[in-house]
Coordinates of all heavy atoms in Angstrom, one line a residue:
M1 N 5.1 -10.5 6.5 CA 6.2 -9.6 7.1 C 6.9 -8.9 5.9 O 7.3 -9.7 5.0 CB 7.0 -10.4 8.0 CG 8.0 -9.5 8.8 SD 9.1 -10.6 9.8 CE 10.4 -10.9 8.8
R2 N 7.3 -7.7 6.0 CA 7.9 -7.1 5.0 C 9.3 -6.4 5.6 O 9.2 -5.8 6.6 CB 7.1 -5.9 4.3 CG 5.8 -6.3 3.7 CD 5.0 -5.2 3.2 NE 5.6 -4.6 2.0 CZ 5.6 -5.1 0.8 NH1 4.8 -6.1 0.6 NH2 6.0 -4.5 -0.2
N3 N 10.3 -6.6 4.9 CA 11.6 -6.0 5.4 C 11.9 -4.8 4.4 O 11.8 -4.9 3.3 CB 12.7 -7.0 5.4 CG 12.7 -8.0 6.5 OD1 12.1 -7.7 7.5 ND2 13.0 -9.3 6.3
C4 N 12.5 -3.8 5.2 CA 13.0 -2.7 4.4 C 14.1 -3.1 3.5 O 15.0 -3.9 4.0 CB 13.5 -1.6 5.3 SG 14.2 -0.2 4.6
H5 N 14.2 -2.8 2.2 CA 15.2 -3.2 1.3 C 16.5 -2.5 1.6 O 17.5 -2.7 1.0 CB 14.7 -3.4 0.0 CG 14.3 -2.0 -0.5 ND1 13.1 -1.7 -0.8 CD2 15.0 -0.9 -0.9 CE1 12.8 -0.5 -1.2 NE2 14.1 0.1 -1.4
R6 N 16.4 -1.4 2.2 CA 17.7 -0.7 2.6 C 18.3 -1.0 3.9 O 19.4 -1.4 3.9 CB 17.4 0.8 2.8 CG 16.9 1.7 1.5 CD 16.6 3.0 1.8 NE 15.6 3.5 0.8 CZ 16.0 4.0 -0.3 NH1 17.2 3.9 -0.7 NH2 15.0 4.3 -1.3
C7 N 17.4 -1.3 4.9 CA 18.0 -1.5 6.3 C 17.9 -3.0 6.6 O 18.5 -3.5 7.6 CB 17.2 -0.8 7.4 SG 16.9 1.0 6.9
N8 N 17.1 -3.6 5.9 CA 16.9 -5.1 6.1 C 16.3 -5.3 7.5 O 16.7 -6.4 8.2 CB 18.2 -6.0 5.8 CG 17.8 -7.4 5.5 OD1 16.8 -7.7 4.9 ND2 18.7 -8.4 5.8
I9 N 15.4 -4.6 8.0 CA 14.8 -4.8 9.2 C 13.3 -4.8 9.0 O 12.8 -4.4 7.9 CB 15.0 -3.7 10.3 CG1 14.6 -2.3 9.9 CG2 16.5 -3.8 10.6 CD1 14.7 -1.3 11.0
E10 N 12.5 -5.2 10.0 CA 11.0 -5.4 9.7 C 10.4 -4.1 9.7 O 10.6 -3.2 10.5 CB 10.5 -6.2 10.9 CG 9.0 -6.7 10.5 CD 8.5 -7.6 11.7 OE1 9.4 -8.2 12.4 OE2 7.2 -7.7 11.9
M11 N 9.5 -3.9 8.7 CA 8.7 -2.7 8.6 C 7.4 -2.8 9.3 O 6.9 -3.8 9.6 CB 8.4 -2.4 7.1 CG 9.7 -2.2 6.2 SD 9.4 -2.0 4.5 CE 9.2 -0.3 4.3
V12 N 6.8 -1.7 9.7 CA 5.6 -1.6 10.4 C 4.4 -1.5 9.3 O 4.4 -0.6 8.6 CB 5.5 -0.3 11.4 CG1 4.1 -0.4 12.2 CG2 6.7 -0.4 12.3
E13 N 3.6 -2.5 9.3 CA 2.5 -2.6 8.3 C 1.3 -2.0 8.6 O 1.0 -1.8 9.8 CB 2.4 -4.0 7.9 CG 3.8 -4.6 7.3 CD 3.5 -6.1 6.9 OE1 2.4 -6.5 6.9 OE2 4.5 -6.7 6.5
G14 N 0.4 -1.9 7.6 CA -1.0 -1.7 7.9 C -1.5 -0.3 7.9 O -2.7 0.0 8.3
F15 N -0.7 0.7 7.4 CA -1.2 2.1 7.3 C -2.1 2.3 6.1 O -1.9 1.6 5.1 CB 0.0 3.1 7.3 CG 0.9 3.0 8.6 CD1 2.0 2.2 8.7 CD2 0.6 3.9 9.7 CE1 2.7 2.2 9.8 CE2 1.3 3.9 10.7 CZ 2.3 3.0 10.8
D16 N -2.9 3.3 6.3 CA -3.8 3.5 5.1 C -3.2 4.8 4.5 O -2.6 5.6 5.1 CB -5.2 3.9 5.6 CG -6.0 2.7 5.9 OD1 -5.9 1.8 5.0 OD2 -6.8 2.7 6.8
I17 N -3.6 4.9 3.2 CA -3.1 5.9 2.4 C -4.3 6.9 2.3 O -5.5 6.6 1.9 CB -2.8 5.6 0.9 CG1 -1.7 4.6 0.9 CG2 -2.4 6.8 0.1 CD1 -1.5 3.9 -0.4
K18 N -4.1 8.2 2.6 CA -5.1 9.3 2.5 C -4.6 10.4 1.8 O -3.4 10.7 1.8 CB -5.5 9.7 3.9 CG -6.3 8.7 4.7 CD -7.8 8.5 4.1 CE -8.7 7.8 5.0 NZ -8.3 6.4 5.1
V19 N -5.4 11.1 1.0 CA -5.1 12.3 0.2 C -5.1 13.3 1.2 O -6.1 13.6 1.9 CB -6.0 12.6 -0.9 CG1 -5.6 13.9 -1.6 CG2 -5.8 11.4 -2.0
E20 N -4.2 14.2 1.3 CA -4.1 15.3 2.2 C -5.2 16.3 2.0 O -5.5 16.7 0.9 CB -2.8 16.0 2.2 CG -2.6 17.0 3.3 CD -1.2 17.5 3.3 OE1 -0.6 17.7 2.2 OE2 -0.7 18.0 4.4
G21 N -5.9 16.7 3.1 CA -7.0 17.6 2.9 C -8.3 17.0 2.6 O -9.3 17.8 2.5
G22 N -8.4 15.7 2.6 CA -9.7 15.1 2.3 C -9.7 13.8 2.9 O -8.8 13.2 3.4
A23 N -10.9 13.1 2.8 CA -11.0 11.8 3.4 C -10.8 10.7 2.3 O -11.1 9.6 2.5 CB -12.4 11.7 3.9
Y24 N -10.3 11.2 1.2 CA -10.2 10.3 0.1 C -9.1 9.4 0.2 O -7.9 9.7 0.6 CB -9.9 11.0 -1.4 CG -10.9 12.1 -1.6 CD1 -10.5 13.5 -1.4 CD2 -12.2 11.9 -1.9 CE1 -11.4 14.5 -1.6 CE2 -13.1 12.9 -2.2 CZ -12.7 14.2 -2.0 OH -13.6 15.2 -2.2
G25 N -9.2 8.0 -0.1 CA -8.1 7.1 -0.3 C -7.7 7.0 -1.7 O -8.3 7.6 -2.5
I26 N -6.9 6.0 -2.0 CA -6.6 5.8 -3.4 C -6.8 4.2 -3.5 O -6.8 3.5 -2.5 CB -5.2 6.2 -3.8 CG1 -4.2 5.3 -3.0 CG2 -5.0 7.6 -3.6 CD1 -2.7 5.5 -3.6
K27 N -7.1 3.8 -4.8 CA -7.2 2.4 -5.0 C -6.5 2.1 -6.3 O -6.3 3.0 -7.2 CB -8.6 2.1 -5.0 CG -9.4 2.6 -6.2 CD -10.9 2.4 -6.1 CE -11.6 3.0 -7.2 NZ -13.0 2.9 -7.1
I28 N -6.3 0.8 -6.5 CA -5.5 0.4 -7.7 C -6.6 -0.2 -8.5 O -7.4 -1.1 -8.1 CB -4.5 -0.6 -7.3 CG1 -3.5 -0.2 -6.3 CG2 -3.7 -1.1 -8.5 CD1 -2.6 1.0 -6.6
S29 N -6.6 0.0 -9.8 CA -7.5 -0.5 -10.7 C -6.9 -0.9 -12.0 O -5.8 -0.3 -12.5 CB -8.7 0.4 -10.9 OG -8.4 1.5 -11.6
D30 N -7.5 -1.8 -12.8 CA -7.0 -2.2 -14.0 C -7.8 -1.7 -15.1 O -9.1 -2.0 -15.2 CB -7.0 -3.8 -14.1 CG -6.5 -4.3 -15.4 OD1 -6.0 -3.5 -16.3 OD2 -6.6 -5.5 -15.7
G31 N -7.5 -0.6 -15.8 CA -8.3 0.1 -16.8 C -8.9 1.3 -16.1 O -8.6 1.7 -15.0
T32 N -9.7 2.0 -16.9 CA -10.3 3.3 -16.4 C -11.9 3.2 -16.5 O -12.3 2.4 -17.3 CB -9.7 4.5 -17.1 OG1 -10.0 4.3 -18.6 CG2 -8.2 4.7 -16.8
G33 N -12.4 4.2 -15.9 CA -14.0 4.3 -16.1 C -14.7 3.3 -15.2 O -14.1 2.6 -14.5
I34 N -16.0 3.3 -15.5 CA -16.8 2.4 -14.6 C -16.6 1.0 -14.7 O -17.1 0.1 -13.9 CB -18.3 2.8 -14.8 CG1 -18.8 2.5 -16.2 CG2 -18.6 4.2 -14.3 CD1 -20.3 2.6 -16.4
F35 N -16.1 0.6 -15.9 CA -15.8 -0.9 -16.2 C -14.4 -1.3 -15.7 O -14.1 -2.5 -15.9 CB -15.9 -1.1 -17.6 CG -17.4 -0.9 -18.2 CD1 -17.6 0.1 -19.1 CD2 -18.5 -1.7 -17.7 CE1 -18.8 0.5 -19.5 CE2 -19.7 -1.3 -18.1 CZ -19.9 -0.3 -19.1
A36 N -13.7 -0.4 -15.1 CA -12.4 -0.8 -14.5 C -12.5 -1.9 -13.6 O -13.5 -1.9 -12.7 CB -11.8 0.5 -13.9
K37 N -11.6 -2.8 -13.6 CA -11.6 -3.9 -12.6 C -10.9 -3.4 -11.4 O -9.7 -3.0 -11.4 CB -10.8 -5.1 -13.2 CG -11.0 -6.3 -12.4 CD -10.2 -7.4 -13.1 CE -8.8 -7.6 -12.6 NZ -8.0 -8.7 -13.3
R38 N -11.6 -3.2 -10.4 CA -11.1 -2.7 -9.1 C -10.3 -3.9 -8.4 O -10.8 -5.0 -8.3 CB -12.3 -2.3 -8.2 CG -11.8 -1.0 -7.4 CD -13.0 -0.5 -6.6 NE -13.0 -1.1 -5.3 CZ -14.0 -1.5 -4.6 NH1 -15.3 -1.3 -5.1 NH2 -14.0 -1.9 -3.4
I39 N -9.1 -3.5 -8.1 CA -8.3 -4.5 -7.4 C -8.5 -4.4 -5.8 O -9.1 -5.1 -5.2 CB -6.9 -4.5 -7.8 CG1 -6.9 -4.9 -9.4 CG2 -6.0 -5.5 -7.1 CD1 -5.4 -4.8 -10.1
E40 N -7.9 -3.4 -5.3 CA -7.9 -3.3 -3.8 C -7.3 -2.0 -3.5 O -6.4 -1.5 -4.1 CB -7.5 -4.4 -3.1 CG -8.2 -4.6 -1.8 CD -7.5 -5.7 -0.9 OE1 -7.3 -6.8 -1.4 OE2 -7.2 -5.4 0.3
K41 N -7.6 -1.5 -2.3 CA -7.0 -0.4 -1.7 C -5.6 -0.8 -1.2 O -5.5 -1.9 -0.5 CB -7.7 0.1 -0.4 CG -8.7 1.2 -0.7 CD -9.4 1.6 0.6 CE -8.5 2.0 1.7 NZ -9.3 2.4 2.9
P42 N -4.5 -0.1 -1.6 CA -3.2 -0.6 -1.2 C -3.0 0.0 0.2 O -3.7 0.9 0.8 CB -2.3 0.3 -2.1 CG -3.1 1.4 -2.5 CD -4.6 1.0 -2.6
K43 N -2.1 -0.7 0.9 CA -1.7 -0.4 2.2 C -0.3 0.0 2.3 O 0.3 -0.2 1.2 CB -1.9 -1.7 3.2 CG -3.2 -2.0 3.5 CD -3.9 -1.3 4.4 CE -5.1 -1.9 5.1 NZ -5.7 -1.1 6.2
V44 N 0.1 0.6 3.3 CA 1.5 1.1 3.4 C 2.3 0.5 4.5 O 1.6 0.2 5.7 CB 1.5 2.6 3.6 CG1 2.9 3.2 3.6 CG2 0.6 3.3 2.6
A45 N 3.5 0.1 4.3 CA 4.3 -0.3 5.4 C 5.5 0.8 5.5 O 5.9 1.3 4.5 CB 4.9 -1.7 5.1
I46 N 5.8 1.0 6.6 CA 6.8 2.2 6.9 C 8.1 1.5 7.8 O 8.0 0.7 8.7 CB 6.3 3.2 7.8 CG1 5.1 3.8 7.1 CG2 7.4 4.3 8.1 CD1 4.3 4.8 7.9
C47 N 9.2 1.8 7.3 CA 10.5 1.4 8.0 C 10.7 2.3 9.1 O 10.7 3.5 9.0 CB 11.6 1.4 7.0 SG 13.2 1.0 8.0
P48 N 10.7 1.7 10.4 CA 10.9 2.6 11.6 C 12.2 3.2 11.7 O 12.5 4.0 12.5 CB 10.6 1.6 12.8 CG 11.0 0.2 12.2 CD 10.6 0.3 10.7
K49 N 13.2 2.8 10.9 CA 14.6 3.3 10.9 C 14.8 4.3 9.9 O 15.2 5.5 10.4 CB 15.6 2.2 10.7 CG 17.0 2.5 11.0 CD 17.9 1.4 11.0 CE 19.3 1.7 11.0 NZ 20.3 0.5 10.6
C50 N 14.6 4.2 8.7 CA 14.9 5.2 7.7 C 13.7 5.9 7.1 O 13.9 6.8 6.4 CB 15.7 4.6 6.6 SG 14.7 3.5 5.5
G51 N 12.6 5.5 7.4 CA 11.3 6.1 6.9 C 10.8 5.6 5.5 O 10.0 6.2 4.9
E52 N 11.6 4.7 4.9 CA 11.2 4.2 3.6 C 9.8 3.6 3.6 O 9.3 3.0 4.7 CB 12.0 3.0 3.3 CG 11.8 2.1 2.0 CD 12.2 2.8 0.8 OE1 13.1 3.8 0.8 OE2 11.9 2.4 -0.3
I53 N 8.9 4.0 2.6 CA 7.6 3.5 2.6 C 7.4 2.4 1.5 O 8.1 2.5 0.4 CB 6.5 4.5 2.6 CG1 6.6 5.3 1.3 CG2 6.6 5.5 3.8 CD1 5.4 6.2 1.0
S54 N 6.6 1.5 1.7 CA 6.4 0.4 0.7 C 4.8 0.2 0.6 O 4.1 0.1 1.5 CB 7.0 -0.8 1.2 OG 6.8 -1.8 0.3
L55 N 4.3 0.3 -0.7 CA 2.9 0.0 -1.0 C 2.7 -1.5 -1.2 O 3.5 -2.1 -1.9 CB 2.4 0.8 -2.1 CG 2.5 2.3 -2.1 CD1 2.0 2.9 -3.4 CD2 1.7 2.8 -0.9
Y56 N 1.6 -2.0 -0.6 CA 1.4 -3.4 -0.9 C -0.1 -3.6 -0.9 O -0.9 -2.8 -0.4 CB 2.0 -4.3 0.0 CG 1.6 -4.2 1.5 CD1 0.7 -5.1 2.0 CD2 2.0 -3.2 2.3 CE1 0.2 -5.0 3.3 CE2 1.6 -3.0 3.6 CZ 0.7 -3.9 4.2 OH 0.2 -3.8 5.5
I57 N -0.6 -4.7 -1.4 CA -2.0 -5.3 -1.4 C -2.1 -6.3 -0.5 O -1.2 -7.3 -0.6 CB -2.4 -5.6 -2.8 CG1 -2.1 -4.4 -3.9 CG2 -3.8 -6.0 -2.9 CD1 -3.1 -3.2 -3.7
E58 N -3.0 -6.3 0.4 CA -3.1 -7.4 1.3 C -3.6 -8.7 0.7 O -3.0 -9.7 1.0 CB -4.1 -7.1 2.5 CG -3.3 -6.3 3.6 CD -4.1 -5.9 4.8 OE1 -5.4 -5.8 4.5 OE2 -3.7 -5.9 5.9
N59 N -4.7 -8.6 0.0 CA -5.1 -9.9 -0.7 C -5.0 -9.8 -2.2 O -5.7 -9.2 -2.9 CB -6.6 -10.0 -0.4 CG -6.9 -10.1 1.1 OD1 -6.3 -10.8 1.8 ND2 -7.8 -9.1 1.5
I60 N -3.9 -10.6 -2.6 CA -3.6 -10.5 -4.0 C -4.5 -11.5 -4.7 O -4.3 -12.7 -4.4 CB -2.1 -10.9 -4.3 CG1 -1.3 -9.7 -3.5 CG2 -1.8 -10.8 -5.8 CD1 0.2 -10.1 -3.4
N61 N -5.2 -11.0 -5.6 CA -6.2 -11.9 -6.4 C -6.4 -11.4 -7.7 O -7.4 -10.9 -8.1 CB -7.6 -12.0 -5.5 CG -8.5 -13.1 -6.2 OD1 -8.1 -13.9 -6.9 ND2 -9.8 -12.8 -5.8
L62 N -5.4 -11.5 -8.5 CA -5.5 -10.9 -9.9 C -6.1 -11.8 -10.9 O -5.8 -12.9 -10.8 CB -4.1 -10.4 -10.3 CG -3.3 -9.4 -9.3 CD1 -1.9 -9.2 -9.8 CD2 -4.1 -8.2 -9.2
Ligands
LIG1 ZN1 14.9 1.3 6.3

């Protein structure tokens, strides 16, 4: 569960990030190129009150 750090209420989690105009998502990686260590696709949580968004990784395994 994530709380908005402005409103201190529960945020709605589990949204995907998409690049507008395409089906592309984004992902987080350590390094660049084909040898980059891929971490995971980030998810988004949204505060239903103020609209604050928060990026997070579901399975943290660094
Ligand atoms: Zn908020």
Side-chain angles (χ1 to χ4, degrees):
M1 189 179 93
R2 300 174 72 79
N3 285 329
C4 178
H5 58 257
R6 299 179 199 278
C7 315
N8 208 27
I9 62 171
E10 190 177 340
M11 301 176 86
V12 183
E13 300 181 3
F15 293 93
D16 277 321
I17 300 167
K18 289 286 193 294
V19 176
E20 191 175 30
Y24 310 107
I26 64 169
K27 65 187 179 189
I28 308 294
S29 65
D30 182 8
T32 56
I34 61 172
F35 298 112
K37 190 174 95 185
R38 217 175 92 215
I39 296 178
E40 209 188 308
K41 265 176 63 178
K43 291 283 198 174
V44 184
I46 303 174
C47 172
K49 189 176 175 191
C50 73
E52 174 82 6
I53 66 169
S54 174
L55 297 181
Y56 65 101
I57 302 290
E58 268 179 336
N59 302 303
I60 302 168
N61 185 21
L62 302 177

